[in-house]
Amino acid sequence: VSKSRKGNQFELFKHKLVGKNDHILVLETKLRHALKQNLLELHYQPKMDLKTGKLVGMEALLRWNDEELGQIPPNEFIPFAEECGLISDIGEWVLKKTALQIKEWEKHFLYDLRVAVNISPLHFKEPDFVDKLNAIFEETKVRPEHLEIELTEMSMMDYNKDLINKIQEVKRLGLTVAIDDFGTGYSSLGYLKQFPVDTLKIDRSFIVSITEGESGVAMVAAIIALAQALKLKVVAEGVETKEQIEILKQYNCEYVQGYYFSRPLNVEDITLKIQKSMK
Ligand code: C2E
Ligand code: MG
Ligand code: MG
Ligand code: MG
């Protein structure tokens, strides 16, 4: 990967690392170190059933807090990790960590929720992705039914038979698969009926536009109708207001995630929330 491409990602950290002679190398070293030393963290955002208001699952979201640079957002370090070849190791860590967390929850209470994990297309396309995934379940004894994999619509753009087969293999293990950021990929909708996915996650930008006029509502209503016609579950991402909730209810959106209900929470706080939801 050329330095100039990495340079774009790096722009944001420059001001914090002035004086260092190789900024990109510093950042890469820091990320490698964070991964090796278990300094990355997962937070969990609740997913709610809109009708019942009940917690039905969550999404694991990666956090990196560097002692020198502070909190670095995943939208910045994930693309960087993809460029410097660290993304598969990071994804592997996230899957393993999530499985171990589920196991921990199972130890303390009857845990029966599903956790969604974001997977980079570069990682998903690795030839041994499914074998390694399977190994995690064999090693931890966690049931694959506890996990969902989120792939962005963007990552499905160059779709082909291999990708369809891979999704099928993952599903055969017992996991479910969601299309993340749905509506932002500018891809032909043709792929939807070919891909054996379970869930569409409507991108936050559409949820924002709900309150910006009729066409915004029409778009969201159309996506929900599409999901229902294809018998897919549908999740609205980034729900922040009561007004958005009301409109989503009106169009029978099943599931919601967003600050209105909860921000992503650290392990301690999400554990409390799960326990409360079981009462
Ligand atoms: P995403 O998978 O679409 O996740 C949703 C993002 O929206 C999260 O940002 C979440 O914190 C944020 N969000 C949730 N509700 C609201 C809301 O009501 N309002 C607003 N403004 N934002 C909300 P986050 O955690 O910063 O993650 C950003 C992106 O980074 C994720 O988008 C995902 O694409 C990627 N990412 C995060 N963790 C991982 C990971 O473990 N692996 C991979 N490959 N990508 C990850
Ligand atoms: Mg996601
Ligand atoms: Mg998303
Ligand atoms: Mg996203």
Side-chain angles (χ1 to χ4, degrees):
V1 179
S2 77
K3 260 196 176 162
S4 59
R5 275 192 68 206
K6 283 189 183 178
N8 289 335
Q9 294 302 329
F10 191 66
E11 211 50 43
L12 293 141
F13 306 99
K14 229 186 195 155
H15 65 287
K16 288 186 175 168
L17 281 173
V18 283
K20 303 259 159 77
N21 23 356
D22 195 330
H23 298 149
I24 288 129
L25 196 63
V26 171
L27 196 63
E28 190 174 328
T29 306
K30 276 179 178 295
L31 188 52
R32 263 178 215 288
H33 174 80
L35 179 62
K36 262 221 184 81
Q37 301 300 314
N38 246 332
L39 301 174
L40 298 176
E41 226 186 293
L42 285 177
H43 284 195
Y44 299 86
Q45 186 178 39
K47 179 165 93 186
M48 323 294 287
D49 182 312
L50 191 50
K51 260 200 195 119
T52 63
K54 275 205 162 251
L55 180 84
V56 290
M58 51 216 139
E59 176 176 4
L61 292 157
L62 198 53
R63 297 292 177 256
W64 177 21
N65 190 11
D66 179 81
E67 52 175 18
E68 190 182 1
L69 301 172
Q71 195 75 46
I72 303 167
N75 276 332
E76 287 166 24
F77 74 80
I78 294 289
F80 180 77
E82 287 173 335
E83 289 190 8
C84 66
L86 271 172
I87 194 62
S88 297
D89 288 346
I90 289 180
E92 184 76 12
W93 183 89
V94 169
L95 285 166
K96 187 95 178 264
K97 183 85 177 174
T98 304
L100 291 173
Q101 186 56 56
I102 290 169
K103 214 174 145 137
E104 192 61 30
W105 284 326
E106 278 180 329
K107 249 195 256 165
H108 299 286
F109 43 85
L110 189 67
Y111 173 85
D112 205 20
L113 300 172
R114 208 187 271 266
V115 185
V117 169
N118 295 283
I119 296 294
S120 159
L122 297 181
H123 182 199
F124 193 75
K125 281 173 192 162
E126 299 261 14
D128 59 358
F129 178 80
V130 177
D131 287 342
K132 284 187 157 175
L133 188 62
N134 198 21
I136 290 176
F137 295 116
E138 286 184 347
E139 199 184 314
T140 60
K141 306 275 183 280
V142 163
R143 281 186 295 129
E145 285 76 14
H146 280 318
L147 232 73
E148 177 158 85
I149 282 181
E150 294 192 4
L151 296 167
T152 62
E153 185 182 41
M154 205 79 86
S155 68
M156 306 221 159
M157 298 229 345
D158 57 339
Y159 72 92
N160 55 44
K161 201 85 196 111
D162 286 348
L163 193 49
I164 297 173
N165 288 341
K166 187 71 76 79
I167 294 174
Q168 245 143 12
E169 279 180 66
V170 165
K171 290 206 49 174
R172 241 177 269 132
L173 288 183
L175 291 86
T176 50
V177 177
I179 300 181
D180 203 354
D181 303 348
F182 184 78
T184 61
Y186 308 107
S187 72
S188 130
L189 286 176
Y191 79 94
L192 264 187
K193 59 179 200 288
Q194 305 205 36
F195 279 19
V197 298
D198 303 275
T199 304
L200 292 189
K201 298 190 76 175
I202 309 173
D203 190 69
R204 190 174 79 84
S205 57
F206 291 98
I207 307 308
V208 170
S209 72
I210 270 186
T211 44
E212 291 169 353
E214 270 171 43
S215 62
V217 176
M219 292 291 289
V220 170
I223 298 175
I224 294 169
L226 177 68
Q228 285 167 348
L230 295 171
K231 302 201 164 46
L232 303 175
K233 297 198 163 114
V234 62
V235 184
E237 292 194 278
V239 177
E240 292 185 356
T241 68
K242 182 90 190 134
E243 199 180 349
Q244 290 166 344
I245 301 278
E246 289 313 320
I247 293 168
L248 289 166
K249 269 192 184 150
Q250 200 182 316
Y251 288 96
N252 294 317
C253 182
E254 278 179 284
Y255 304 109
V256 279
Q257 260 180 268
Y259 294 171
Y260 182 82
F261 298 96
S262 170
R263 290 185 173 256
L265 302 170
N266 65 26
V267 173
E268 219 173 277
D269 291 340
I270 192 74
T271 302
L272 290 173
K273 209 165 193 95
I274 297 169
Q275 283 178 305
K276 241 201 241 160
S277 80
M278 297 191 313
K279 282 182 189 142

